[in-house]
Every structure is written in C-alpha cells, then in structure tokens.
Amino acid sequence: MKITDSVLRSFRVARTFRENSQKVNCVDYNSNGESAISSSDDDSIVLYDCQEGKPIRTLYSKKYGVDLIRYTHGDANTVVYSSNKLDDTIRYLSLTDNKYIRYFPGHTDRVVALSMSPVDDTFISGSLDMTIRLWDLRSPNCQGLTNPLGKPVCSYDPEGLIFAAGVDSEVIKLYDLRSFDKGPFASFETLFSRVCEWTGLKFSRDGKQILISTNGGAIRILDAFNGSVLHTFSGYNNSKGISLEACFTPDSDFVMIGSEDGRVHVWSTESGMKIAVLDGKHSGPINTLQFNPKYMTFASACSNMAFWLPCVGD
C-alpha cells in the first residue's frame, strides 16, 4: 500500500495503551518496524510488539530517569538512552537481561539530541552544555567533540556520512563525519517569524530535506543541500511552548506533528498543503510521534500511547 493523501486521512487509533502514569518523552521503532520502545517521566521503558500490537515488557530506570531513547543500529535487544534525573551520562542497556552494557560519561548538562548512525555502531549526542559528542558503542570514551557555539539539536543523514546540527535556533551546520573536527562544511541561517526554540532536527529518508521542530506553533522543512526554505507549517495548537516532535513519513512525502489538543496534523512536503487533521483522543499534548519505518502504522503519545492504522474501507 502506498502512502497517499486519502490513506493518511483514513488513519484511526487502533489501540491505546495506558501503561504510563506520566508523559511519554520519546518513542522509537527498531529498523525492521517490528518493535517499538517508549520512555516516560514515570521512569519506565515500555517495549511493544508491533505485530501483536501490545506491550510486552516494562523496565525501570528509577535512579536516573529516562528521556531520549534509541534502538541501536540493527539490534532490537539493546538501546541507548539519556537521563533526566541524576546525571547526564548516556546509558547502553540490554533489554533481554535489563543490564547496562556501558556508560558514556562526558556531557555536563541535559542531553537534548540523540541520533544513531544508520550504518554502524556510532551515535551522536547534543547537550545544553553546548557540545556535540560522537560515540562508539564499543567504547565508553567520547570519539570526538565539536563546539558548535550554541545549544545544538543534531541528526545523522540517512547514509551516515554527515550530520546536521541546528545551533541556537538560527543556523544549521553540516559536518562531514570523517573530518568534523575541521568544522562545518556548510552553514544555512534560517529564522522563524515567531520567537521559538528549535527542539529537534531530522532528515527525510531520501536525504533531500531537513525538518526542524520547535516549541512554538511552527515547523519547517529545508532543502538539505542549499538550506532554502521549502515550507513552513503552522496552524496547530502549541500555546504553552511544549517540545512537540514532528516526523516525516518513510517515503519523505509527508510531515506530521501532534498538538497540545491531542490532534495530529499532516502536510504534503511537495505542495505544502495540509492534507489531514486526525483526532487521537489524547488526554494531553502529543509530545512524541513516529511513523513505522516498514509498516503502515504510526505511534503518538501523551501519557497514553496510541497506535494508528488506516481504515481504507471506510
């Protein structure tokens, strides 16, 4: 089934799970789309089986808390996650026996970006300590560090050759992973008309677009090669300055974001037109939203987790 305007308009919540007592911070799918994992302010990590459509296990990080969480490259049994309590060390956790494999100390303030390489065992992290660090799962030592001169959000490109950093909510810097210590090879300045902080940055899967999420009422997609603004999307509720996560669909043709009133807004990246507003009946703001990389389903979460399916026969 191809993702089209009409298919997206037909999406409905298939299942809602109330496993969490506080807001869900992050959700991630593994690369084959068969598993999902969430982190929450209640210190829990919930594993979901996407084929069965149900939660299968809950782990806890009561001492450290759990904020951003990512499956490691090609492995549905291990994750890395950042903390929102005791310290700013990143932790590498085995889900099978609930044991830490390794710690990655170095950041001195909250980690606000975490991106796994799509091709190997490296990952990058951005922090309020104004640094971006490069790590390898096999070593606790930081493999490289760059000071982009501002608060950074960052992400790998789909080929794992470069990474982009959104710095101080005004400029995107592109770094070559083989020589990032030399500084960025390109920089694009892009300012929003309204005052807002950039809270996330993602590449489309085809590598041609960069999506900027904010804590205001607007998100933006840029041309990944020259930094020109392709579209700025607004018209969704975010009056409280919440970090609402936006995402691309896997075909790079649509962008989605949740809102503080529990609805999901969908735009075409080609035309820039809003093509759907979907009511998830969420009790609070949709903090996190991810489309499954392989299957026709997506997840949205406030303190409840909703899994959506298309109802094409309607």
Side-chain angles (χ1 to χ4, degrees):
M1 188 191 288
K2 189 177 182 321
I3 302 173
T4 62
D5 296 21
S6 57
V7 167
L8 284 165
R9 277 194 283 270
S10 79
F11 267 86
R12 303 287 182 271
V13 174
R15 293 200 175 160
T16 301
F17 297 104
R18 295 170 174 83
E19 306 296 303
N20 298 106
S21 59
Q22 295 184 53
K23 82 175 177 81
V24 175
N25 293 320
C26 189
V27 61
D28 192 39
Y29 286 103
N30 74 324
S31 55
N32 67 13
E34 292 174 5
S35 307
I37 196 158
S38 70
S39 59
S40 166
D41 271 358
D42 63 13
D43 305 332
S44 70
I45 296 170
V46 183
L47 285 69
Y48 292 88
D49 182 320
C50 296
Q51 292 177 306
E52 298 281 324
K54 64 181 184 185
I56 47 175
R57 196 167 172 213
T58 301
L59 309 173
Y60 290 94
S61 177
K62 292 207 172 289
K63 184 176 178 184
Y64 306 110
V66 54
D67 191 7
L68 302 174
I69 193 162
R70 301 281 184 260
Y71 280 105
T72 58
H73 171 64
D75 187 355
N77 296 311
T78 57
V79 292
V80 294
Y81 71 85
S82 65
S83 306
N84 53 12
K85 280 170 131 180
L86 198 63
D87 62 18
D88 305 295
T89 295
I90 298 166
R91 291 173 172 80
Y92 179 20
L93 177 69
S94 164
L95 301 175
T96 44
D97 52 11
N98 194 22
K99 288 196 169 72
Y100 293 116
I101 301 168
R102 198 159 283 115
Y103 301 93
F104 303 99
H107 284 302
T108 56
D109 205 338
R110 191 163 72 90
V111 173
V112 292
L114 199 56
S115 177
M116 301 301 303
S117 166
V119 294
D120 60 24
D121 284 337
T122 60
F123 65 97
I124 53 174
S125 56
S127 163
L128 295 182
D129 65 14
M130 312 294 188
T131 66
I132 295 172
R133 289 176 179 263
L134 174 69
W135 310 89
D136 188 307
L137 289 173
R138 295 161 293 194
S139 165
N141 303 318
C142 176
Q143 304 295 299
L145 177 141
T146 181
N147 294 288
L149 305 176
K151 176 193 159 190
V153 287
C154 55
S155 177
Y156 280 93
D157 82 314
E159 293 178 332
L161 297 174
I162 68 168
F163 69 86
V167 185
D168 262 355
S169 303
E170 61 182 30
V171 63
I172 290 178
K173 300 181 179 184
L174 300 182
Y175 295 83
D176 187 319
L177 276 153
R178 292 158 301 191
S179 57
F180 73 91
D181 51 329
K182 295 185 174 68
F185 65 84
S187 294
F188 321 125
E189 192 170 287
T190 180
L191 296 171
F192 284 77
S193 57
R194 61 189 82 188
V195 176
C196 59
E197 277 188 31
W198 298 3
T199 54
L201 182 151
K202 294 179 182 179
F203 280 89
S204 57
R205 191 184 272 188
D206 63 12
K208 294 176 181 174
Q209 303 168 84
I210 292 173
L211 170 64
I212 300 170
S213 304
T214 77
N215 66 356
I219 56 176
R220 177 170 285 178
I221 50 174
L222 307 175
D223 183 297
F225 300 103
N226 62 25
S228 60
V229 176
L230 299 175
H231 300 290
T232 301
F233 302 126
S234 57
Y236 59 93
N237 288 359
N238 189 13
S239 61
K240 299 188 179 76
I242 300 165
S243 294
L244 300 175
E245 182 180 24
C247 73
F248 284 102
T249 51
D251 59 6
S252 310
D253 289 344
F254 301 93
V255 163
M256 319 168 68
I257 193 170
S259 63
E260 68 184 9
D261 62 6
R263 298 173 199 268
V264 175
H265 297 249
V266 189
W267 294 268
S268 161
T269 58
E270 186 180 7
S271 69
M273 300 293 289
K274 184 177 286 189
I275 60 108
V277 180
L278 308 169
D279 189 358
K281 309 256 184 317
H282 279 284
S283 56
I286 298 175
N287 308 299
T288 181
L289 180 75
Q290 288 292 348
F291 210 100
N292 189 300
K294 298 286 189 212
Y295 296 96
M296 189 67 83
T297 177
F298 69 88
S300 63
C302 53
S303 55
N304 303 331
M305 174 76 92
F307 288 100
W308 301 66
L309 291 171
C311 303
V312 182
D314 286 5

